[in-house]
Amino acid sequence: MTDFDHFVGTRAITAGQTFDTGALEIYLNHHLEGFSGPMTIEIFKGGQSNPTYKLITPGRSYVMRAKPGPVAKLLPSAHAVEREFKVMRGLQDTAVQVPRMFCLCEDESVIGRAFYIMEFVEGRVLWDQSLPGMTKQQRSEIYDEMNRVISALHTVDVVKQGLSGYGKPGNYFERQISRWSKQYQASVTQPISEMDSLMQWLPANIPASARDAGLVSIVHGDFRLDNLLFHPTEPRVLAVLDWELSTLGHPLADFSYHCMAWHIPPGTFRGIGGLDLDSLGIPSETQYIAQYCKRTGLTTPEALKADWNFYLAYNLFRLAAILQGIAKRVEAGTASSAQAVTSAAGAPLLAKMAWDFALKAQA
């Protein structure tokens, strides 16, 4: 058994995750072309926000993403499966690989929560960012492909793809800092002093690069290795998953979130901080940034590095707020994964890391 077995594959649905499967099957018979039962349902082990189910029929398998409960019991704007559906449908046939979207149900009377059905794509989820068991060349190829995909995402023509209205224009960081401050305050279980400090410091220290209204793209919001589905044998992404936090926004916010892995040590948050990257064949953060800048043309490594401590402080603050939301769901009994308790406990650690970067930015 590995440290990541609790994320891999599917398992039986537990009592707290049940719903009317008969009602779902009736709905799919009417709304999903080609659907034919009988149907069995399992739940994917990975993920803590929106429960994800595998629907197995004699002819094919599907994936269902659902909210963890009815809207009335959830934090405002959280668990936006309808937005996931919209952005993945909009990204079909671009250089950003996504599953095919089949149907969206926002009528909670069907199974008690909103959900959508998408294509089941067979592939690999690589949970450990150090990529154990691979050669140096294989690791290098995986990281280069990951860099290619996020670069492609940030250069998608949102007008052409019908996604120009997917988010509000301008003031992205101000709005995000405000949003996650409110989310944190709505989900406090035990106060974290660094979060209080960050809620004051971040909006007062937004650099000019973060205010550039010309830098607008689709941002994934949680772009990391284990949200990518790779080909079973090739270093090729078949699908980018988990778009719940996506919107129109600042691409450098998204990219710097992705780069937090270079600062977070291995363990609960699956980082590569402190590892001997050269011996592993994994690019340094500096090399990875340079490749992104070359592919996108959005900025230069020198310009990005000048404000890097702000970007990292912002993203660690944001992630701490997300984990605090998980802690609140654990308390309320709506967390969808056995790992939720462990993840929720990480909010204070990430808040401290964020404040350390804020102090570096001031130095």
Side-chain angles (χ1 to χ4, degrees):
M1 180 173 177
T2 72
D3 291 340
F4 299 94
D5 284 349
H6 49 259
F7 291 118
V8 178
T10 59
R11 58 172 172 77
I13 299 174
T14 60
Q17 296 157 339
T18 57
F19 53 85
D20 189 338
T21 57
L24 176 62
E25 192 158 344
I26 291 170
Y27 178 89
L28 296 180
N29 275 318
H30 287 89
H31 295 88
L32 179 53
E33 185 178 354
F35 176 83
S36 179
M39 176 178 68
T40 58
I41 304 177
E42 299 170 349
I43 189 167
F44 287 92
K45 295 179 185 177
Q48 291 132 14
S49 183
N50 291 329
T52 307
Y53 302 87
K54 185 177 183 181
L55 313 182
I56 305 164
T57 73
R60 66 181 299 180
S61 294
Y62 306 89
V63 172
M64 180 177 84
R65 285 272 283 178
K67 296 195 178 192
V71 169
K73 293 186 177 182
L74 303 177
L75 290 172
S77 77
H79 313 287
V81 297
E82 55 278 274
R83 289 181 59 79
E84 287 188 0
F85 183 87
K86 180 176 181 178
V87 73
M88 283 192 279
R89 174 163 279 184
L91 289 169
Q92 307 280 286
D93 304 317
T94 69
V96 183
Q97 291 74 16
V98 289
R100 290 283 170 187
M101 298 290 104
F102 293 134
C103 58
L104 168 68
C105 177
E106 298 179 84
D107 181 357
E108 292 187 347
S109 70
V110 178
I111 63 167
R113 64 198 71 180
F115 65 89
Y116 67 84
I117 308 296
M118 65 181 173
E119 171 189 19
F120 173 72
V121 180
E122 193 74 57
R124 293 178 292 165
V125 175
L126 303 172
W127 293 100
D128 189 335
Q129 299 200 27
S130 67
L131 301 174
M134 292 191 183
T135 66
K136 288 182 68 172
Q137 180 178 345
Q138 287 171 330
R139 293 188 188 99
S140 177
E141 290 169 344
I142 290 290
Y143 271 78
D144 187 64
E145 172 70 350
M146 189 160 55
N147 188 285
R148 180 198 67 77
V149 174
I150 194 169
S151 299
L153 174 63
H154 293 164
T155 51
V156 163
D157 185 332
V158 295
V159 175
K160 180 181 176 183
Q161 298 306 128
L163 293 168
S164 58
Y166 192 61
K168 297 177 182 178
N171 301 318
Y172 177 76
F173 280 91
E174 290 93 332
R175 290 185 287 105
Q176 285 291 304
I177 293 165
S178 175
R179 174 191 176 182
W180 292 109
S181 295
K182 290 174 182 175
Q183 292 280 48
Y184 167 73
Q185 291 168 328
S187 59
V188 170
T189 52
Q190 293 185 348
I192 302 171
S193 61
E194 289 86 355
M195 292 296 280
D196 295 330
S197 298
L198 287 159
M199 285 188 287
Q200 297 297 316
W201 184 86
L202 285 167
N205 289 275
I206 300 172
S209 64
R211 296 185 184 277
D212 186 346
L215 288 178
V216 179
S217 73
I218 295 293
V219 299
H220 180 275
D222 196 15
F223 193 95
R224 60 180 197 240
L225 181 67
D226 53 277
N227 276 333
L228 306 177
L229 191 67
F230 281 84
H231 185 278
T233 59
E234 300 173 14
R236 179 162 56 90
V237 170
L238 299 180
V240 183
L241 306 173
D242 200 357
W243 292 85
E244 179 195 347
L245 298 172
S246 63
T247 188
L248 275 189
H250 200 297
L252 301 184
D254 209 29
F255 181 65
S256 53
Y257 172 89
H258 175 49
C259 288
M260 284 193 304
W262 275 260
H263 299 272
I264 295 173
T268 302
F269 303 108
R270 303 190 288 283
I272 52 175
L275 298 182
D276 185 348
L277 302 183
D278 186 59
S279 70
L280 290 170
I282 295 173
S284 68
E285 182 185 57
T286 298
Q287 292 169 329
Y288 199 78
I289 288 172
Q291 194 65 15
Y292 172 84
C293 292
K294 181 180 178 180
R295 280 183 161 127
T296 64
L298 297 176
T299 186
T300 66
E302 296 76 20
L304 188 50
K305 275 294 186 180
D307 299 323
W308 200 235
N309 287 324
F310 168 84
Y311 286 118
L312 292 175
Y314 157 75
N315 276 302
L316 285 160
F317 161 78
R318 176 178 173 272
L319 184 53
I322 291 170
L323 294 187
Q324 188 59 48
I326 295 174
K328 189 69 172 180
R329 294 203 304 278
V330 169
E331 185 178 80
T334 59
S336 67
S337 162
Q339 290 306 301
V341 175
T342 301
S343 293
L349 171 64
L350 293 183
K352 184 180 185 307
M353 289 179 64
W355 185 239
D356 287 344
F357 278 111
L359 294 175
K360 289 179 185 178
Q362 295 179 116

